[in-house]
Structure formats: structure tokens, C-alpha cells
Amino acid sequence: MTQAGRTAGRLVRATLLGSALFLAVGCTTLYRNHGYAPTDEQLSEVLVGVDTRGTVSDVIGPPTASGVTNEGDFFYVQSRFRLYGPLEPKEIEREVVAIRFDGDGVVSNVERFGLENGQVVALSRRVTDDNVQGTTFLRQLFGSIGQFNAGDFIGDG
């Protein structure tokens, strides 16, 4: 074999090896993380009915987003994306922690949401809201007047 033939063979092998290496590296799956969501251990330090916006910010850190107004709730959002070659990045995980405050700025609820099959799912809740808001005890008591059934007091004999 001549010198020109050996050089051409080496060049072809180097080109094939370089192309294979380029394709292997270009089709490797990469993961990218965005945002921050506190862990359950960090959230256990937040006391419902005790902590305020300031203490929550000190314990957990500033929120990723907050409510519509300056007095809004805190939201911590963390996402994980999968990147595969030239394809569009796909979000594979999302976690949202919502810390809600009452009118006085005290923590009233802590919730954690996830993303399952494109649907937002509540993963954990510490305190749930009651359906009786803006109604006093007396209003509830007097509102039930006339709502009694005589069958409730007289046994069905």
C-alpha cells in the first residue's frame, strides 16, 4: 500500500471516529434545574399561626414569587427539565410550595403541589381552610333556627 493510500485510510477512520463521537455526545440526555423549593425539614420550622412574612423569609429565604399585592402569599417554585439533543426541552418535574398568610400577615396554611401527567396535584397540606369564613358563631347559631325537624326529637316508635 502506498503512502497516499495509508494517509487516506487514516483520514477516513479519523473522520468516522470523530462523527461517531460527535453523535454520541450530541444525543446525550442533560438535566437542568431551575428555582428553589424548601424541603420538608425547612418547612417544619415554619409554625402555622405563629410565624410572619419576615420570619418565613428569614428561615426559608425569599420566595420565588409572591401574591398579586405586596401583602400576598409566598410561592417557591422548582422545576427540572430534560434536554435531549436538538429536541425542545421538556419539563419532567415541578414542585410548588405555597405559604399563605392571613390578614395580619401570620402564616395560615402551608401547601406543596407537584406536577403529575401535566396536572397540578396537592402533595401535602398542613392546614386546610374552613368553609366558614366571615361568619360569626352567633350568625351560625341563629341561622339554624327553624331548620329543625320534629322527627329528630320524637323517636320513631
Side-chain angles (χ1 to χ4, degrees), residues 30 42 49 57 64 66 68-70 81 97 104 109 114 116-117 131 133 150:
L30 300 175
Q42 291 172 317
S57 188
T64 305
S66 59
V68 177
T69 64
N70 290 340
F81 291 88
V97 174
D104 297 328
N109 198 353
E116 302 294 328
N117 299 326
N131 292 331
Q133 293 180 349

Side-chain angles (χ1 to χ4, degrees), residues 75-152:
F75 298 97
Y76 298 87
V77 182
Q78 180 176 358
S79 297
R80 182 173 175 95
F81 291 88
R82 180 178 62 216
L83 295 94
Y84 185 73
L87 300 177
E88 181 178 339
K90 182 178 180 186
E91 185 175 25
I92 57 173
E93 291 178 31
R94 182 187 313 155
E95 195 169 299
V96 177
V97 174
I99 300 179
R100 305 200 185 274
F101 299 95
D102 62 12
D104 297 328
V106 178
V107 175
S108 65
N109 198 353
V110 178
E111 299 174 290
R112 182 182 298 272
F113 299 97
L115 182 67
E116 302 294 328
N117 299 326
Q119 302 294 322
V120 175
V121 177
L123 299 177
S124 68
R125 287 191 173 135
R126 273 232 237 128
V127 176
T128 56
D129 293 333
D130 57 2
N131 292 331
V132 187
Q133 293 180 349
T135 304
T136 64
F137 172 73
L138 292 176
R139 182 181 296 261
Q140 290 177 17
L141 182 66
F142 291 127
S144 63
I145 293 177
Q147 301 295 322
F148 298 108
N149 184 356
D152 295 337

Side-chain angles (χ1 to χ4, degrees), residues 14-33:
T15 302
L16 288 175
L17 181 64
S19 298
L21 184 63
F22 180 75
L23 287 174
V25 170
C27 293
T28 301
T29 302
L30 300 175
Y31 295 95
R32 188 171 44 189
N33 297 315

